[in-house]
Amino acid sequence: MALRSLKSIRNLNGKVVFVRVDYNVPIKKKRVLDDTRIRATLPTIQFLIKKKAKIILLTHIGRPNGKIVTSLNVDPLIERLSVLIKKKVKKLDTKNWKLSKKKKLEIITEIKEMYSGQIAMMENLRFSPDEANNTGTLAKELAEIADVFVQDGFAVLHRESASVVGIPKYVSSCAGLLVLKEIKGLNRVLHHPKSPFVCILGGVKMETKIPLLKQMVVHADQILIGGGIVNTYLKATGYGIGSSIFDKGKEHIALTYGRKKKVILPVDVIVGTKDGKHYRRVRLAKKPHVICKKGEAIFDIGPETLRLYALYITQAKTLVWNGAMGYFEQKPYDIATLTIARLLAARSKGSAYGVIGGGETIQAMDLTGMTDDVDLVSTGGGAMLSYLAAEKLPGIIALEK
Ligand code: 3PG
């Protein structure tokens, strides 16, 4: 079902438009470290400025669990957005979200006094205990203040939060330009992928990748595996992986998928010390053996594996990548991840349709300076994985209704 688009909403002049964004970005010492998610929402905000709406942004940051955590307030986001949009962004201070009648009236008055095209941001939604699981009356109370609700937080569509599934029940709602763009790109991969379709999966949390793995085993031509998933498979098969990170309790699943024909596993790995001062390559024999000596762990896939993976990537017409191949934050364990990133970006926008998503994947791509060469950089980690696993996201269901 096609979602109602922001562009189809008429007469937004002077209207109070609530926009749910996902500005859950890394922040250190009150500074935004990565503003990808903020920049991704600029088209929607600029559209609303042009239409002279009063724009009220809603977001969560981190997991404060219904409590005020000062380090997670929206001030750094306001500062960063103001720079990016070249406009002062106002703060509507909802503090702990206990919206008494008086507090609500104050907010309504402040919004009334805003000029058309002005932007304001409310406090971190997760300071309210009602946001995470859509409890209480938060969604209804927010909807009462809004004329229109725009969902532009693609990365949070897999959550049953008040601002995701609740607000659309009570007020005229539509999808923002980022949400529409991401859905269009992911649908291309999900429903009309050009063959060969190669999926690259890495990262540490194997559990979050299982639904996608299930889907890809059916739809992709090859799945190239790296990161913690490899370690879990090797451990399950009986190799000695020393202190390497693996997903405890997921060994049987790793074995099931590792044995599938479409799943391509490394033929060699790089082991060493965490600081990268000592490292060596280990070829993986068919028969399980000890890979790591005392004090060593697996930190990357090896050069022969990289050559093998490169063959698949350079033939592919559809490419999806989520999760690092190794501990890329530490040299020399960044080699495979950055090579995969460069290969994918080089094939994108022409030879293949390339999609990447997830915090560390984008971070790695940024290190290559080639992020703009990729067809779709999804702002969603969990949301992208769920969407590509053909799960119906609660945030989309809410908009369809
Ligand atoms: C994300 O970063 O994936 C989204 O912002 C959702 O955050 P959450 O996993 O804390 O719900």
Side-chain angles (χ1 to χ4, degrees):
M1 185 190 197
L3 294 179
R4 188 177 182 203
S5 159
L6 168 60
K7 287 200 171 158
S8 71
I9 311 275
R10 301 272 158 249
N11 192 18
L12 289 165
N13 195 336
K15 294 271 164 65
V16 178
V17 179
F18 274 41
V19 186
R20 175 51 156 116
V21 288
D22 187 326
Y23 289 173
N24 187 17
V25 298
I27 291 173
K28 204 174 173 186
K29 291 189 183 147
K30 298 185 184 168
R31 284 183 73 91
V32 170
L33 298 183
D34 177 359
D35 62 8
T36 309
R37 284 183 172 178
I38 305 179
R39 280 187 283 112
T41 63
L42 294 183
T44 287
I45 299 173
Q46 273 150 351
F47 178 86
L48 288 167
I49 293 174
K50 233 173 151 181
K51 295 286 171 189
K52 297 192 168 64
K54 293 181 178 180
I55 306 150
I56 318 292
L57 301 173
L58 294 167
T59 186
H60 73 277
I61 327 166
R63 292 179 176 169
N65 296 326
K67 296 199 176 68
I68 295 183
V69 177
T70 319
S71 59
L72 292 177
N73 72 30
V74 293
D75 297 355
L77 305 176
I78 289 184
E79 203 183 307
R80 189 72 200 128
L81 177 62
S82 300
V83 172
L84 291 172
I85 202 93
K86 299 185 183 81
K87 226 169 147 59
K88 196 169 167 0
V89 176
K90 177 184 167 67
K91 182 169 181 179
L92 283 172
D93 204 349
T94 35
K95 293 211 167 66
N96 64 354
W97 287 99
K98 284 202 180 101
L99 299 181
S100 62
K101 244 189 187 163
K102 190 170 156 247
K103 183 76 203 161
K104 223 168 130 185
L105 273 175
E106 269 170 35
I107 293 172
I108 292 170
T109 311
E110 272 195 81
I111 293 176
K112 262 196 190 139
E113 284 166 2
M114 280 170 67
Y115 60 84
S116 294
Q118 192 176 355
I119 311 163
M121 198 184 295
M122 290 190 168
E123 192 43 282
N124 186 347
L125 282 162
R126 288 189 183 168
F127 285 178
S128 162
D130 291 337
E131 163 67 359
N133 298 311
N134 188 24
T135 46
T137 53
L138 180 69
K140 191 163 183 279
E141 289 183 54
L142 285 171
E144 276 166 10
I145 309 174
D147 294 314
V148 175
F149 174 71
V150 181
Q151 177 55 270
D152 216 23
F154 178 80
V156 75
L157 291 182
H158 59 317
R159 299 289 182 225
E160 302 262 1
S161 309
S163 63
V164 178
V165 299
I167 300 179
K169 280 190 198 153
Y170 305 106
V171 64
S172 170
S173 302
C174 63
L177 306 182
L178 174 65
V179 161
L180 290 170
K181 180 179 132 187
E182 296 222 23
I183 289 177
K184 191 172 167 205
L186 295 178
N187 277 349
R188 183 165 165 176
V189 167
L190 201 57
H191 303 303
H192 328 278
K194 270 201 186 153
S195 203
F197 175 6
V198 174
C199 173
I200 308 145
L201 270 186
V204 274
K205 282 182 271 165
M206 177 167 171
E207 190 170 359
T208 59
K209 324 265 156 132
I210 297 167
L212 180 61
L213 210 45
K214 261 189 199 157
Q215 183 75 10
M216 289 298 137
V217 162
V218 180
H219 295 287
D221 294 295
Q222 280 92 30
I223 303 140
L224 315 178
I225 302 290
I229 310 178
V230 171
N231 301 352
T232 312
Y233 172 79
L234 292 173
K235 168 101 182 155
T237 320
Y239 290 85
I241 64 164
S243 53
S244 312
I245 291 178
F246 73 102
D247 240 315
K248 223 174 167 182
K250 296 287 171 277
E251 293 91 333
H252 59 292
I253 299 173
L255 266 188
T256 309
Y257 285 100
R259 286 179 181 144
K260 304 259 182 211
K261 227 175 131 197
K262 285 182 178 179
V263 173
I264 314 297
L265 290 157
V267 288
D268 59 352
V269 289
I270 303 294
V271 305
T273 50
K274 198 172 177 197
D275 60 11
K277 285 193 177 137
H278 154 85
Y279 60 93
R280 64 192 177 94
R281 169 201 183 190
V282 177
R283 273 214 177 81
L284 299 173
K286 283 235 159 73
K287 212 167 144 222
H289 54 91
V290 173
I291 299 171
C292 301
K293 291 186 200 153
K294 200 165 180 265
E296 287 179 338
I298 302 170
F299 285 116
D300 204 1
I301 55 173
E304 214 173 302
T305 306
L306 205 45
R307 229 182 342 256
L308 174 71
Y309 285 9
L311 277 178
Y312 288 112
I313 295 172
T314 50
Q315 304 287 316
K317 294 229 162 63
T318 305
L319 284 158
V320 172
W321 177 32
N322 175 272
M325 295 290 103
Y327 180 38
F328 74 99
E329 293 87 347
Q330 175 63 59
K331 280 181 197 297
Y333 308 130
D334 57 347
I335 291 177
T337 302
L338 298 189
T339 306
I340 295 278
R342 289 189 183 103
L343 287 169
L344 186 143
R347 275 199 76 72
S348 292
K349 291 199 175 163
S351 311
Y353 186 71
V355 176
I356 66 165
E360 63 169 22
T361 313
I362 297 175
Q363 203 185 324
M365 187 58 82
D366 283 344
L367 289 174
T368 68
M370 295 179 80
T371 310
D372 290 342
D373 296 314
V374 179
D375 291 282
L376 178 69
V377 179
S378 175
T379 55
M384 178 187 101
L385 290 174
S386 298
Y387 196 89
L388 286 179
E391 288 168 12
K392 259 299 202 180
L393 306 189
I396 293 181
I397 298 171
L399 289 179
E400 284 172 350
K401 279 181 184 162

